[in-house]
Amino acid sequence: MSDPTRRRLHLNAFLMEAGHHEAAWRLPHSNPRADFDLRHWIELAQLAESAKFDSLFLADGPALIGTGEFRPPGQLEPLTLLTALSQATSRIGLIATVSSTYNEPYNLARRLASVDHVSGGRAGWNIVTSAGADEAANFGLVNRPDHAERYARADEFLHIAKALWDSWESEAVVADKTTGRYADPARLHRPDHRGTYFSVAGPLNVERPPQGYPLLVQAGSSEDGKDFAARHAEAIFTAHQTYERAAGFYADIKARTRAAGRDPDGVIVLPGIVPYIGSTEEEARALAKEFDELRVPEYGLRQLAAVFETEPSVFELDAPLPDFILARPKLEGTQSRSDLIIELAVREKLTVRQIISRLGGGRGHFEFIGTPEQVADTIIAWFEGGAADGFNIMAPALPSGLESFIEHVLPILRGKGLFREEYKGTTLREHYGLPVPPNQFHPEATRVSGG
Amino acid sequence: MSDPTRRRLHLNAFLMEAGHHEAAWRLPHSNPRADFDLRHWIELAQLAESAKFDSLFLADGPALIGTGEFRPPGQLEPLTLLTALSQATSRIGLIATVSSTYNEPYNLARRLASVDHVSGGRAGWNIVTSAGADEAANFGLVNRPDHAERYARADEFLHIAKALWDSWESEAVVADKTTGRYADPARLHRPDHRGTYFSVAGPLNVERPPQGYPLLVQAGSSEDGKDFAARHAEAIFTAHQTYERAAGFYADIKARTRAAGRDPDGVIVLPGIVPYIGSTEEEARALAKEFDELRVPEYGLRQLAAVFETEPSVFELDAPLPDFILARPKLEGTQSRSDLIIELAVREKLTVRQIISRLGGGRGHFEFIGTPEQVADTIIAWFEGGAADGFNIMAPALPSGLESFIEHVLPILRGKGLFREEYKGTTLREHYGLPVPPNQFHPEATRVSGG
């Protein structure tokens, strides 16, 4: 029936507390304590797995978010949560954000390898460089490292992590009970890295992960971020408000990947979409309105101020963005987010009130309000038009928004042969159609890993 | 029947790959790839839980152990493994070693809090300061911090970790759907720590752990280590070759705890025991001999050399320890281990061959060869004589040695009313009879937490 050579959509379930909309926790059926309730996360993970999503994803940062006054400000440490979820699922990929700026390569490479082992090859790492001042203050830094320096450190971090993951050849363990010889020391490699930011001897004390390396994911859209993605990323989460912007980004990242000497098909581009789904357009609009009316405007103002590193008082709710915001130079931390907001505000001539309403659902990701057919058509148009290899599904409320997508949109995509009916592989790399990277220390490997 | 006020034994199952004996992996029934086989660990955890052990424990260090030539050299990252095990068990406590020298307080406090959340209050942290040169080399350190400095850092680390765990008052989350008010910012506390080794703003982005703090465990037996334990530890793992030494340590640590202003009953002292159990003494001796004959002497020599920070070639197998070893001043890294070996060698007039044989089973812990009655009598004598509050059970082979202890020794202890038939509580603190520490930021708490 289905053509096995046909290009298929990849779908990631981006999970977040009671939903991506900032006021989701206030909905009548929401669990407002979802963040620390493991049953909530297990329910979501099993729901996404039952629908055969490629993966689920947890965003993160090592600091409390805001003041907590209007929105849940915390989250379980994501690799801990992924590990717990790995034991309640068997096939879905498990991706979490972890900072390369506030971790040591040996510890993090080991933890990621361990999650890959206990999950049977389902771990993915969304590499972030942690822009925030709140994060820096939790690690003794008064002056945050700048954008370029954070990416230089991340690049060296990845170089070390790959060498650590490669430090056990697959044939290293002999385990000969007769002779008492356990491993072949010549097949346990010491990276002995000495660089600008790190000195790490190795070898790692964990066997090579089942996937070789965990899937390497990236989400920064600055110039430094895109160059980093071209060198290292195998999947990219990205935020675009229009098809044109998404298509431009897609072409750009594939070209950069090719220029970096890698196969562009080895990088899966996944724009975010926040779908408000109704059986009619009117129902969908009513749903979006229900969310919008639950927002606390003060929260949105504070979030907007944080992105522009200013005070909420500089904004007037019913006026456009102030000129000094529109004219200011690029910011260190949140470049792509602030650029995206300015572009949206100018293109659609939005007031501050309208901007914070538009950002409330997906923090700058593409919100789409419509029927299941319209959601599916949009996804297909982006996918077939060269703007996406799949989507990062960001349900405004969880689990209800994910249930709605699975129940109403997925059957349409499946009916067109665009999304799997069953998992074929067992690892995250297999779901995304990506190979296990060769081991850089293995004598038979003639090239350095491109993954 | 049983007297509820009676003092009860606490038992911890110290798990290690295919067993604590260095050659355990060579036994016919052993799984030599146990380290990275999650099923092995789940089997052990469920076995210990079925026997109602207070806790299980994983030792660790952030470096590959030795060369791997004669013994499995790696291990899954222990908090990852504990998290996986938390989902396959429901009552047993889960303790892992993590270094305070090679972690950041914010990250580690968050991870431990998260393990406590996903396990329903069963997390314990064995705080180590990481003496090894191999470990230092994985974190860019050419000159290792010295003993006193590592403990000073650990002390500051604990101070910060406790403040971070306390940073959410239990009433902080309001979650009022009607008003949109989520948390009370006045009940989210910023430790704003600025000290010698760390600056950490906070608050933690994780709710206070179910246990308040994870159970704090310690195992160093140096003077610095014992003072640290007196200030912070709630359970202590310790190694003694004789009842007299164990009783002396017990009295010393309880006195130091009292001197530090804490209740000595709030510190559970757990010496290690490596039991070789046979239905007759002869059978037990034959079992111990079977292990001993599987040892590779070269491995033992290398281990001995590592403890004394010298080369294997300085030892002669059939001679006593060289004089320069006996006379040398105390070493930085492995003080208590090297002292213990010298004392054992001198007291029992052992040759190097005999020393490495004696160390092969439990790396200096108390090996006991005998019948179930003899093992039980020894445990009871130490417990009732004031040398132990319980034991750290270190089976020479796993699972067989733990099965043997459970099947043959536990019924004797239970017959005397010394060990629980069923769990009464659900948290690790409840199993050890220890309270949830008060929150230092809570207005009703009139004293600083002593835990």
Side-chain angles (χ1 to χ4, degrees):
Chain A
M1 299 240 300
S2 63
D3 173 3
T5 64
R6 178 157 187 192
R7 184 169 163 253
R8 301 293 182 96
L9 263 171
H10 297 286
L11 294 178
N12 174 70
F14 184 173
L15 306 181
M16 178 167 285
E17 51 187 68
H20 280 272
H21 193 280
E22 65 191 42
W25 68 271
R26 296 182 65 188
L27 290 167
H29 300 295
S30 285
N31 174 1
R33 308 296 291 259
D35 268 319
F36 300 102
D37 184 346
L38 184 59
R39 291 166 303 184
H40 172 78
W41 296 101
I42 289 176
E43 179 188 355
L44 296 182
Q46 292 179 339
L47 176 64
E49 182 169 81
S50 72
K52 320 300 175 193
F53 272 63
D54 294 74
S55 50
L56 62 82
F57 167 59
L58 307 171
D60 192 61
L64 190 103
I65 301 161
T67 63
E69 200 167 351
F70 304 115
R71 188 174 187 179
Q75 180 170 293
L76 291 165
E77 190 281 320
L79 289 185
T80 307
L81 179 50
L82 281 194
T83 302
L85 297 179
S86 76
Q87 303 304 300
T89 56
S90 62
R91 303 296 279 277
I92 193 167
L94 305 162
I95 305 171
T97 293
V98 188
S99 169
S100 60
T101 300
Y102 301 121
N103 280 282
E104 289 280 346
Y106 196 92
N107 286 339
L108 184 55
R110 187 178 181 211
R111 293 178 63 205
L112 288 162
S114 297
V115 178
D116 206 46
H117 279 287
V118 303
S119 67
R122 297 188 285 137
W125 173 25
N126 179 37
I127 306 152
V128 297
T129 65
S130 303
D134 286 350
E135 295 168 313
N138 288 331
F139 297 88
L141 299 183
V142 180
N143 297 310
R144 289 179 271 171
D146 72 18
H147 203 266
E149 186 176 357
R150 292 200 315 275
Y151 274 101
R153 182 184 153 112
D155 202 65
E156 189 176 328
F157 197 116
L158 261 285
H159 178 80
I160 300 165
K162 290 177 181 179
L164 289 170
W165 289 323
D166 285 340
S167 55
W168 295 45
E169 291 184 31
S170 53
E171 298 83 357
V173 176
V174 183
D176 184 340
K177 289 187 178 183
T178 311
T179 62
R181 186 171 171 81
Y182 189 78
D184 178 355
R187 291 180 182 267
L188 291 171
H189 301 276
R190 299 173 66 87
D192 265 330
H193 174 90
R194 285 167 200 279
T196 307
Y197 299 96
F198 305 104
S199 294
V200 180
L204 196 63
N205 55 358
V206 174
E207 272 191 47
R208 195 166 197 251
Q211 295 189 104
Y213 310 155
L215 187 78
L216 300 175
V217 184
Q218 205 270 349
S221 296
S222 65
E223 293 301 307
D224 291 328
K226 284 188 283 194
D227 283 338
F228 181 84
R231 285 195 301 282
H232 298 289
E234 299 171 297
I236 294 178
F237 297 142
T238 184
H240 301 288
Q241 289 284 336
T242 63
Y243 168 82
E244 289 68 28
R245 287 298 302 242
F249 176 86
Y250 187 94
D252 183 18
I253 207 76
K254 298 275 177 170
R256 287 180 200 239
T257 303
R258 195 178 291 109
R262 297 175 58 210
D263 177 1
D265 292 340
V267 182
I268 308 294
V269 177
L270 302 165
I273 182 170
V274 185
Y276 296 83
I277 304 166
S279 58
T280 62
E281 277 188 54
E282 191 181 345
E283 264 188 36
R285 276 195 298 270
L287 177 67
K289 187 156 176 281
E290 185 187 354
F291 279 91
D292 199 45
E293 285 171 353
L294 289 174
R295 283 190 309 101
V296 177
E298 192 178 341
Y299 176 80
L301 278 178
R302 286 191 198 169
Q303 292 298 105
L304 195 65
V307 168
F308 290 105
E309 300 188 356
T310 184
E311 295 302 315
S313 57
V314 307
F315 300 108
E316 283 179 59
L317 274 173
D318 294 307
L321 287 175
D323 287 341
F324 84 93
I325 292 281
L326 297 173
R328 69 193 293 172
K330 290 198 175 195
L331 297 170
E332 271 303 332
T334 50
Q335 256 181 45
S336 43
R337 181 63 46 88
S338 53
D339 291 354
L340 183 150
I341 294 171
I342 290 174
E343 189 198 306
L344 170 70
V346 171
R347 188 178 64 241
E348 305 194 16
K349 299 188 175 59
L350 303 179
T351 64
V352 166
R353 189 187 301 277
Q354 290 166 322
I355 293 168
I356 62 178
S357 165
R358 287 288 290 275
L359 297 176
R363 305 175 311 287
H365 282 269
F366 178 51
E367 288 192 295
F368 188 88
I369 300 167
T371 65
E373 291 72 22
Q374 289 170 328
V375 175
D377 286 349
T378 300
I379 285 176
I380 294 167
W382 287 39
F383 176 65
E384 294 189 339
D389 296 312
F391 278 84
N392 196 12
I393 306 300
M394 303 168 62
L398 286 164
S400 61
L402 187 57
E403 286 167 342
S404 180
F405 182 87
I406 291 168
E407 190 177 337
H408 302 295
V409 180
L410 270 195
I412 302 172
L413 300 173
R414 286 201 168 110
K416 296 178 190 290
L418 289 174
F419 191 64
R420 69 173 67 82
E421 303 275 351
E422 290 296 337
Y423 290 112
K424 293 210 167 57
T426 60
T427 71
L428 174 52
R429 285 183 179 275
E430 286 170 338
H431 303 334
Y432 279 111
L434 296 169
V436 171
N439 187 328
Q440 65 190 280
F441 295 117
H442 193 289
E444 289 166 30
T446 53
R447 62 189 180 88
V448 170
S449 157
Chain B
M1 300 241 300
S2 64
D3 173 3
T5 65
R6 179 157 185 191
R7 185 170 163 252
R8 301 295 181 93
L9 264 171
H10 297 286
L11 294 178
N12 174 70
F14 184 173
L15 306 182
M16 179 168 283
E17 51 187 67
H20 281 271
H21 193 281
E22 65 190 42
W25 67 271
R26 295 182 65 188
L27 290 166
H29 300 296
S30 285
N31 174 1
R33 308 295 291 259
D35 267 319
F36 300 102
D37 184 347
L38 183 60
R39 291 167 303 184
H40 172 78
W41 297 101
I42 289 176
E43 179 188 356
L44 296 181
Q46 292 180 340
L47 176 64
E49 182 169 81
S50 71
K52 321 299 176 193
F53 272 62
D54 294 74
S55 49
L56 62 81
F57 167 59
L58 307 171
D60 192 62
L64 190 102
I65 301 161
T67 63
E69 199 166 353
F70 304 115
R71 188 176 186 177
Q75 179 171 291
L76 291 164
E77 191 282 319
L79 289 185
T80 307
L81 179 50
L82 281 194
T83 302
L85 296 179
S86 76
Q87 302 305 300
T89 56
S90 61
R91 303 296 279 275
I92 193 166
L94 306 162
I95 305 171
T97 293
V98 188
S99 169
S100 60
T101 300
Y102 301 122
N103 279 282
E104 289 280 345
Y106 196 91
N107 286 339
L108 184 55
R110 186 178 181 211
R111 292 178 63 205
L112 287 162
S114 297
V115 178
D116 207 45
H117 278 287
V118 302
S119 66
R122 297 188 285 138
W125 173 24
N126 179 39
I127 307 152
V128 297
T129 65
S130 304
D134 285 351
E135 295 167 314
N138 288 331
F139 297 88
L141 298 185
V142 180
N143 298 310
R144 290 180 269 169
D146 72 18
H147 203 266
E149 186 176 357
R150 292 200 314 275
Y151 274 101
R153 182 185 154 113
D155 202 66
E156 189 177 328
F157 197 117
L158 261 285
H159 177 80
I160 300 165
K162 289 176 181 179
L164 289 170
W165 290 322
D166 285 340
S167 55
W168 296 46
E169 291 183 33
S170 53
E171 299 83 358
V173 175
V174 182
D176 184 340
K177 289 186 177 183
T178 313
T179 62
R181 186 172 172 82
Y182 189 78
D184 178 355
R187 291 179 182 269
L188 290 171
H189 300 277
R190 297 174 67 88
D192 264 330
H193 173 90
R194 286 168 200 278
T196 307
Y197 300 97
F198 305 105
S199 294
V200 180
L204 196 64
N205 54 358
V206 175
E207 271 191 47
R208 196 167 196 250
Q211 295 188 105
Y213 311 154
L215 187 78
L216 300 176
V217 185
Q218 204 270 348
S221 296
S222 65
E223 293 302 305
D224 292 328
K226 285 188 284 195
D227 283 340
F228 181 84
R231 285 194 301 282
H232 299 289
E234 299 171 298
I236 295 179
F237 297 141
T238 184
H240 301 289
Q241 289 284 335
T242 65
Y243 168 80
E244 289 70 27
R245 287 298 302 242
F249 176 85
Y250 187 94
D252 182 19
I253 208 77
K254 298 276 177 170
R256 287 181 200 238
T257 304
R258 195 178 293 108
R262 298 175 56 209
D263 177 1
D265 291 340
V267 182
I268 309 295
V269 178
L270 302 164
I273 184 170
V274 185
Y276 296 83
I277 304 166
S279 59
T280 63
E281 278 189 51
E282 192 181 345
E283 263 189 35
R285 277 194 298 270
L287 177 67
K289 188 157 176 281
E290 185 186 354
F291 279 91
D292 199 44
E293 286 172 352
L294 289 174
R295 284 189 308 101
V296 176
E298 191 179 341
Y299 176 79
L301 278 179
R302 286 190 198 171
Q303 292 299 105
L304 195 65
V307 168
F308 290 106
E309 300 189 354
T310 184
E311 295 301 317
S313 56
V314 307
F315 300 108
E316 282 179 57
L317 274 174
D318 294 307
L321 286 176
D323 286 341
F324 83 93
I325 292 279
L326 296 173
R328 69 193 294 173
K330 292 200 174 193
L331 296 170
E332 272 304 332
T334 51
Q335 257 181 43
S336 43
R337 181 63 46 89
S338 53
D339 292 354
L340 183 150
I341 294 171
I342 289 174
E343 190 199 305
L344 170 70
V346 170
R347 188 178 65 241
E348 304 194 16
K349 301 189 176 57
L350 302 179
T351 64
V352 166
R353 190 186 298 277
Q354 290 166 323
I355 293 168
I356 62 178
S357 165
R358 287 288 290 275
L359 296 176
R363 304 175 311 286
H365 282 270
F366 178 50
E367 288 192 295
F368 188 88
I369 300 168
T371 65
E373 292 72 20
Q374 290 170 327
V375 174
D377 287 349
T378 300
I379 285 175
I380 294 167
W382 287 40
F383 176 64
E384 295 189 340
D389 295 314
F391 279 84
N392 197 12
I393 306 301
M394 302 168 61
L398 286 164
S400 61
L402 187 59
E403 286 168 343
S404 179
F405 183 87
I406 290 167
E407 191 177 338
H408 302 296
V409 180
L410 270 195
I412 303 172
L413 300 173
R414 288 202 168 111
K416 296 179 190 289
L418 289 175
F419 191 65
R420 70 174 67 80
E421 302 276 351
E422 289 297 336
Y423 290 111
K424 294 212 165 56
T426 60
T427 71
L428 174 52
R429 286 183 177 274
E430 286 169 339
H431 303 335
Y432 279 111
L434 297 169
V436 171
N439 187 328
Q440 65 190 280
F441 295 116
H442 193 288
E444 289 165 32
T446 53
R447 61 191 180 87
V448 171
S449 157

